Amino acid sequence: MKKPLIRLNNIYFYYDGRVVLKNLNLDIHEGDRVGLMGPNGSGKTTLLYIIMGLLKPSSGTVEIFGKIRQKEKDFIEVRQKIGLLFQDSDSQLFCPTVKEDIAFGPLNLGKSKEEALNIVKETCDILGLKGFEDRVTYKLSGGEKKLVALATVIAMNPLCYLLDEPSAGLDEKTIDRLTNYLLNKANTYLVVSHDKEFLSRTTQKIYYIQNGTISKSVE
Ligand SMILES: Nc1ncnc2c1ncn2[C@@H]1O[C@H](COP(=O)(O)OP(=O)(O)OP(=O)(O)O)[C@@H](O)[C@H]1O
Ligand SMILES: [Mg+2]
């Protein structure tokens, strides 16, 4: 079997001396569509931050694309190829306008201004954000911000998506649009959600995190 895209091996993580993750193991292979459920405060967001190198585990290894990642520079490639949707959209959006926020990733990956603007248009079309390009990001509604945050991730065309509560606050029609995108255009993803129906529509298996560890598959 091919090496996993993401392998967490025996991860421990503490906040202020309190254990959040303990002996946590996780493999995500190319083509995997995985859901992750668990109570509030069980460490789901922490787990995603560890994969992206935004938090460092106290012990255990983070192996991405077959390489152990430890130092800040090890995560440059990870952040280019794995797209994280933050649970809180305000953590994702930092440009004055929607267009600039969505174009930021592609420009950073070396796309021309014209290519980036095409990507902005395509991404807005996919998510029903037509006409939002010049809107001021901080004045958007919560659901609109979530959609723009999703657009910034999709615009990067990542190898793997890590989505933290992507359906939270979205209306039914928009959730359908997101579901179709994931099923038809996204190959590999890990979706954190409390929405079991959304997970059963979009994923092949659902893991459960409790007491710091991924204990079982729900389905
Ligand atoms: N910066 C921080 N400093 C101290 N403790 C923190 C910090 N961030 C998170 N925690 C704690 O770590 C634990 C795990 O938090 P985390 O955000 O990973 O949970 P979660 O499973 O994503 O929860 P939710 O379903 O509410 O999003 C919680 O007990 C939380 O209070
Ligand atoms: Mg969380």
Side-chain angles (χ1 to χ4, degrees):
M1 200 174 186
K2 271 176 81 176
K3 277 205 160 190
L5 292 185
I6 298 171
R7 166 163 284 173
L8 300 182
N9 187 31
N10 204 7
I11 297 286
Y12 281 74
F13 181 84
Y14 299 83
Y15 265 129
D16 310 326
R18 266 178 310 114
V19 68
V20 178
L21 304 177
K22 59 179 176 199
N23 192 20
L24 185 139
N25 295 292
L26 173 73
D27 278 0
I28 305 284
H29 286 89
E30 198 174 344
D32 277 353
R33 294 168 159 180
V34 179
L36 180 64
M37 299 189 85
N40 292 129
S42 58
K44 303 178 298 295
T45 297
T46 304
L47 169 71
L48 300 185
Y49 284 2
I50 284 175
I51 296 172
M52 298 302 284
L54 301 172
L55 291 173
K56 301 281 184 270
S58 318
S59 63
T61 53
V62 179
E63 194 179 320
I64 317 253
F65 312 134
K67 281 191 210 156
I68 302 278
R69 312 279 169 166
Q70 281 170 319
K71 299 194 195 75
E72 191 54 28
K73 75 169 176 15
D74 299 338
F75 285 95
I76 295 170
E77 184 193 11
V78 174
R79 292 178 197 145
Q80 285 174 344
K81 297 183 181 166
I82 297 183
L84 170 66
L85 176 77
F86 283 84
Q87 182 168 9
D88 170 14
S89 307
D90 287 325
S91 303
Q92 196 115 34
L93 305 171
F94 48 85
C95 294
T97 65
V98 168
K99 184 166 64 188
E100 289 164 285
D101 255 324
I102 302 174
F104 185 87
L107 288 171
N108 223 19
L109 289 176
K111 304 279 186 205
S112 70
K113 207 171 162 194
E114 197 189 345
E115 286 170 316
L117 285 177
N118 280 334
I119 293 172
V120 170
K121 192 181 170 306
E122 282 166 23
T123 318
C124 284
D125 286 354
I126 291 168
L127 291 172
L129 284 170
K130 250 186 219 168
F132 274 73
E133 288 87 338
D134 293 311
R135 296 277 295 272
V136 175
T137 315
Y138 85 90
K139 290 184 182 170
L140 298 175
S141 75
E144 289 168 343
K145 279 187 190 171
K146 173 78 84 180
L147 277 177
V148 175
L150 263 168
T152 68
V153 178
I154 288 174
M156 302 275 289
N157 192 23
L159 272 178
C160 173
Y161 292 80
L162 304 177
L163 306 177
D164 203 346
E165 292 284 354
S167 65
L170 297 184
D171 64 55
E172 216 171 300
K173 196 168 147 205
T174 309
I175 291 177
D176 286 346
R177 232 186 236 130
L178 173 60
T179 302
N180 286 335
Y181 179 82
L182 290 175
L183 292 177
N184 297 313
K185 302 275 190 239
N187 185 34
T188 309
Y189 48 83
L190 173 65
V191 182
V192 168
S193 182
H194 299 292
D195 181 347
K196 212 166 167 194
E197 195 196 322
F198 178 70
L199 288 184
S200 63
R201 282 166 71 194
T202 52
T203 65
Q204 305 147 325
K205 56 185 165 189
I206 302 175
Y207 292 140
Y208 200 75
I209 183 170
Q210 200 168 28
N211 301 322
T213 199
I214 292 177
S215 52
K216 60 176 182 190
S217 181
V218 174
E219 286 182 333

